[in-house]
Amino acid sequence: MQWNVYLSGEIHTGWRRQVTDGVRQADLPVTFSGPITDHDASDGCGVQILGEEADPFWRDHKAAKINAIRNRTLIQTADVVVVRFGEKYRQWNAAFDAGYAAALGKPIITLHALEHTHALKEVDSSALAVAETPQQVVQILAYVTRGSPIS
Amino acid sequence: MQWNVYLSGEIHTGWRRQVTDGVRQADLPVTFSGPITDHDASDGCGVQILGEEADPFWRDHKAAKINAIRNRTLIQTADVVVVRFGEKYRQWNAAFDAGYAAALGKPIITLHALEHTHALKEVDSSALAVAETPQQVVQILAYVTRGSPIS
Amino acid sequence: MQWNVYLSGEIHTGWRRQVTDGVRQADLPVTFSGPITDHDASDGCGVQILGEEADPFWRDHKAAKINAIRNRTLIQTADVVVVRFGEKYRQWNAAFDAGYAAALGKPIITLHALEHTHALKEVDSSALAVAETPQQVVQILAYVTRGSPIS
Amino acid sequence: MQWNVYLSGEIHTGWRRQVTDGVRQADLPVTFSGPITDHDASDGCGVQILGEEADPFWRDHKAAKINAIRNRTLIQTADVVVVRFGEKYRQWNAAFDAGYAAALGKPIITLHALEHTHALKEVDSSALAVAETPQQVVQILAYVTRGSPIS
Amino acid sequence: MQWNVYLSGEIHTGWRRQVTDGVRQADLPVTFSGPITDHDASDGCGVQILGEEADPFWRDHKAAKINAIRNRTLIQTADVVVVRFGEKYRQWNAAFDAGYAAALGKPIITLHALEHTHALKEVDSSALAVAETPQQVVQILAYVTRGSPIS
Amino acid sequence: MQWNVYLSGEIHTGWRRQVTDGVRQADLPVTFSGPITDHDASDGCGVQILGEEADPFWRDHKAAKINAIRNRTLIQTADVVVVRFGEKYRQWNAAFDAGYAAALGKPIITLHALEHTHALKEVDSSALAVAETPQQVVQILAYVTRGSPIS
Amino acid sequence: MQWNVYLSGEIHTGWRRQVTDGVRQADLPVTFSGPITDHDASDGCGVQILGEEADPFWRDHKAAKINAIRNRTLIQTADVVVVRFGEKYRQWNAAFDAGYAAALGKPIITLHALEHTHALKEVDSSALAVAETPQQVVQILAYVTRGSPIS
Amino acid sequence: MQWNVYLSGEIHTGWRRQVTDGVRQADLPVTFSGPITDHDASDGCGVQILGEEADPFWRDHKAAKINAIRNRTLIQTADVVVVRFGEKYRQWNAAFDAGYAAALGKPIITLHALEHTHALKEVDSSALAVAETPQQVVQILAYVTRGSPIS
């Protein structure tokens, strides 16, 4: 079985690269998907494609909905959803994705620093694994897909 | 029809009271539910009932899961989910609830100040109404349940 | 069993009254629901409650979404959905409701003049009954709920 | 991921060709499906295959149901549903398809001229994007599938 | 809990009366529903309400669909479905109801003479009990709802 | 799209061959599945594999359940279900399959002689096409999959 | 809200009584259901109602299926499922109920001695609370339904 | 059709090998999946990947949840679930898997010695076949996938 893994959340550090590189090196049967991580494209796609908006609310609204075409579809087709919470910003979209995945019954792996444990307790309690490093995510995927962590 | 409305999110201001008072004064056919809003009880229920934990992670974990027995059940039985984002804290649980409700197809009303518009664009894009005041939430419930806003 | 019947579609003639009066006179175990039929309230609820919009598109958008809180919820809880197509306007919302109900597996009764048969063939083909008069709808509900049409 | 996109609605102009040509030129990972667009075949398939009907209602009924075998199946397997409303005819089947797709949770893109905004407000409010030109639909598919609109 | 039990199948003998009488005498918490058992009304409801048909096929079609409004709804709300196969006729509707209930995951009790065992093996294999007499159905309902068969 | 079509029902005439030959000659994108049509294997598989039974009821029961592993799985994965009723036997399993497919929302094509119209009215009313000959089934599949009947 | 709680598992000690007594004393809005706990009735109901069986396998089979009419229905309608594992017997039915409830997304509370922790790790990992005493179950229900444990 | 078969349960004997060897020799269209059967890896994966735990409960908890990422996903994608109960240990996870598969409507084949018939009656009653030997499982898969047992 080829596993589809959706990488949700923070887009400002290189964690996605670390996870995908680790999986490639270990040659695991995993295909990745995720949101568009080009921040300007993601914020501007609504007005860029469908026309300008005077009100910032509707500008954001049009962008968020176009992104939702992508993201909800990919979460629905994922076998595992990894949700990353970083150090900055409020990242409500990451928590939203976790709730969305939880209601669909998708296995969730959260990835965040120990210091956010208390603030993320509801999210973590819906996860099947709580990781602190991208390497741990790779190890989990290695175990889950072939039974042996990477040595 | 009696409408079940779940009031999710921020527990530090009186917004729930304002919504429920407004609905009671308008005599609307609405029943409310929501999380336990006693902050200490909510944080401590796990170890208080099931035994102490040395590691704060598991202390939180046990509490969050007991709260999930309540919260996920009530969201599942709700007709409408109102999600409030306040000024303080990260409130990832509110965004989680919104994602959870969205995947279940529940109508969502978000309630937050204008300044959070950009950070909440993904959450707002899944909502059927974005309110700034508890009074607007009452007005929406009045319109939805009997067709006329409160004068 | 008390039957919940949602009356969707055209709001400019008295067909809802004719159906509900007929059902009341026959003392059938049927409860009715439907959209807000006050046309101005229905069109204006968005900006009246949540604030004015310069762009007519967003004005309509906010209203349509608030109405969706009501309508989708009531269709989901209905046992039978009656969809009425009248003589005027495009009535795309009526056909939308029919499609929505069809995908949910709800029994559909359409109500329209014979002249719309060809234009409504896709909608009618998803219905369990195609009526031309409100009296026929009452007769169907009488038969379905107690086995005998009204004499 | 290969995306399945269903093109619903108006069959009298070349919009489907414009969308599919644009997508092919941009080499996007998209496969299209849609209803049979040969108008005579679509109207006549019922009696042509299953035998003549004296009553036009049943003639239409048999055709609409055979078309439903195709259309509902393809909508159910689609990742995105595009619904086009043109200038002529009542196009209740397009609105029906939109409602059907909405209840299934499919991402919807509507495509219509600005002048239909008010009449289509309920349909548009269920969509994740409202486009006015086939080129915009292509741009959305380009963004959704690879993150960059076509320059 | 009040149990809803749907009594499907043969309408020419008094088995429904035997089951409901037995349940009433035992004072079990059971409510019954079922199809319209007035054979002429059931066959004629289509043309009687919606207008005559020249072709017997469409006459039956209109009747069967109106009956489906009732029967599918009641099966969907039933907790247990009892399906009776009698001595006469082909009773394909009874087997259809059994298949319909099976796909919905409803507990099925079949009721038929031993001689039909081989012909009904597929239907019986989807049932949780295979009874030969109405009294056995009453006993099962007594056991299931309060734990003790009727002495 | 490759269409999966399940051929249910009567196993004593060559109708399956006629349908599959017609589809092959027309080179349609259709894959067929169906029950095991070797009558002795189908009846005997239970005791042949899992051990003899003294009671004919259990002999049938074991066989019917093993067949159900195959048949329910294939119906669930089918895009279209064709159900054939022949001249002989009670064929309750065919009607059961039709009910099962109907509850799953599968498009159904029934195939039977005109004389069974009245007895099959409930089954036919759940179908999207009612055919009398295997050739008509082929024509429907040709139209549904590529838009043109076979000339 | 009135909460429905299903009490699954071991039937040889008084834990059900302890839970229900505790809930009654605390006057919680909880209604209980569960399997038939009369061991002889539960084992014998199949042959007692539907006729003797020579083979013990079929004797058990008939009983287990009649019990399934009750138990699966009640688990499906439960808001919370408590699963008790005792000191004796293999209790595979308790673990089966836990898996059944887990796949339905029901909140699970397990109740067992510490010594079974390792053997029950898969079951416990699907639970939202793992209790060691009936009093803890009462406390959880008190917290979940009204926010305050019993003092 | 390629059939996905999940092999659940006991990991201490060679039954999986016997089933997969038999299927390979018969060249059946079957792909197998199952839990990680390396006992130490399965028990230790939690702490090995995510960090040590002082409390054995949490050590087991972390492992069981990581295994659940694999096992629940594979059961959900399986067409048939085989559940093996051996001679030793309590094997509550096997019964849990059976309950999980039953609630998902998966066809279940149980595999165990005759002596466990009474203890497994609830589990067996949810199965479509009850086998005593791996060879019987192979025979069932041969019959189900191509209609003829292996001679």
Side-chain angles (χ1 to χ4, degrees), chain D residues 36 66-67 69-70, chain F residues 3 80 139-147:
Chain D
I36 299 302
I66 289 180
N67 281 294
I69 296 175
R70 176 182 176 90
Chain F
W3 292 67
V80 176
Q139 295 280 11
I140 292 169
L141 294 175
Y143 175 78
V144 162
T145 60
R146 70 174 188 215

Side-chain angles (χ1 to χ4, degrees), chain B residues 111-127:
Chain B
L111 171 60
H112 60 83
L114 207 55
E115 67 190 83
H116 292 315
T117 288
H118 187 64
L120 282 168
K121 64 182 183 298
E122 288 88 1
V123 178
D124 283 348
S125 77
S126 75

Side-chain angles (χ1 to χ4, degrees), chain F residues 86-115:
Chain F
E87 302 308 301
K88 296 195 299 182
Y89 308 109
R90 291 179 176 265
Q91 306 176 79
W92 282 322
N93 58 325
F96 180 88
D97 282 358
Y100 195 84
L104 297 175
K106 301 288 176 187
I108 295 168
I109 301 171
T110 56
L111 172 59
H112 61 82
L114 205 57
E115 66 189 85

Side-chain angles (χ1 to χ4, degrees), chain D residues 101-149:
Chain D
L104 297 176
K106 301 287 177 188
I108 295 168
I109 300 171
T110 57
L111 171 60
H112 61 83
L114 206 56
E115 67 189 84
H116 292 315
T117 289
H118 187 64
L120 282 169
K121 64 182 181 300
E122 288 87 1
V123 177
D124 283 349
S125 76
S126 76
L128 287 177
V130 179
E132 289 177 58
T133 67
Q135 288 69 30
Q136 288 176 322
V137 174
V138 175
Q139 296 280 11
I140 291 168
L141 295 176
Y143 176 78
V144 161
T145 59
R146 70 173 189 216
S148 53

Side-chain angles (χ1 to χ4, degrees), chain F residues 39-99:
Chain F
H39 191 268
D40 289 342
S42 172
D43 272 13
C45 66
V47 295
Q48 182 178 358
I49 299 175
L50 294 175
E52 203 48 62
E53 290 293 330
D55 184 338
F57 179 86
W58 296 120
R59 175 185 159 90
D60 280 338
H61 197 72
K62 283 162 94 168
K65 281 189 161 171
I66 289 179
N67 281 294
I69 296 176
R70 175 181 177 91
N71 299 350
R72 292 188 207 160
T73 300
L74 293 176
I75 292 177
Q76 284 167 24
T77 60
D79 298 305
V80 176
V81 176
V82 179
V83 188
R84 161 74 181 162
F85 293 86
E87 302 308 301
K88 296 195 299 182
Y89 308 109
R90 291 179 176 265
Q91 306 176 79
W92 282 322
N93 58 325
F96 180 88
D97 282 358

Side-chain angles (χ1 to χ4, degrees), chain C:
Chain C
M1 175 177 159
Q2 187 73 12
W3 290 68
N4 293 313
V5 176
Y6 185 85
L7 301 176
S8 168
E10 181 249 310
I11 63 171
H12 299 287
T13 65
W15 73 276
R16 277 187 183 80
R17 170 73 60 101
Q18 288 173 276
V19 171
T20 55
D21 280 0
V23 160
R24 192 179 318 113
Q25 285 164 25
D27 198 25
L28 303 177
V30 173
T31 306
F32 291 101
S33 67
I36 299 301
T37 57
D38 176 331
H39 190 269
D40 290 343
S42 172
D43 270 15
C45 66
V47 294
Q48 184 178 355
I49 299 175
L50 294 176
E52 204 49 63
E53 289 293 332
D55 185 336
F57 178 86
W58 296 119
R59 174 185 160 90
D60 280 338
H61 198 71
K62 283 161 93 168
K65 281 189 162 171
I66 290 180
N67 281 294
I69 297 176
R70 175 182 177 91
N71 299 348
R72 291 187 207 160
T73 301
L74 293 176
I75 291 176
Q76 283 167 24
T77 60
D79 298 304
V80 177
V81 176
V82 180
V83 190
R84 162 75 182 161
F85 294 86
E87 302 308 301
K88 298 195 299 185
Y89 308 108
R90 291 181 176 264
Q91 308 176 79
W92 282 321
N93 58 325
F96 180 87
D97 283 358
Y100 195 85
L104 296 175
K106 301 286 177 187
I108 295 170
I109 301 170
T110 55
L111 172 60
H112 61 81
L114 206 56
E115 67 190 83
H116 292 315
T117 288
H118 187 65
L120 282 169
K121 64 181 182 297
E122 287 87 1
V123 178
D124 283 350
S125 77
S126 76
L128 287 177
V130 178
E132 289 177 58
T133 69
Q135 287 71 30
Q136 289 177 321
V137 175
V138 175
Q139 297 280 10
I140 292 168
L141 294 176
Y143 176 78
V144 161
T145 60
R146 70 173 188 214
S148 51
I150 298 159
S151 54

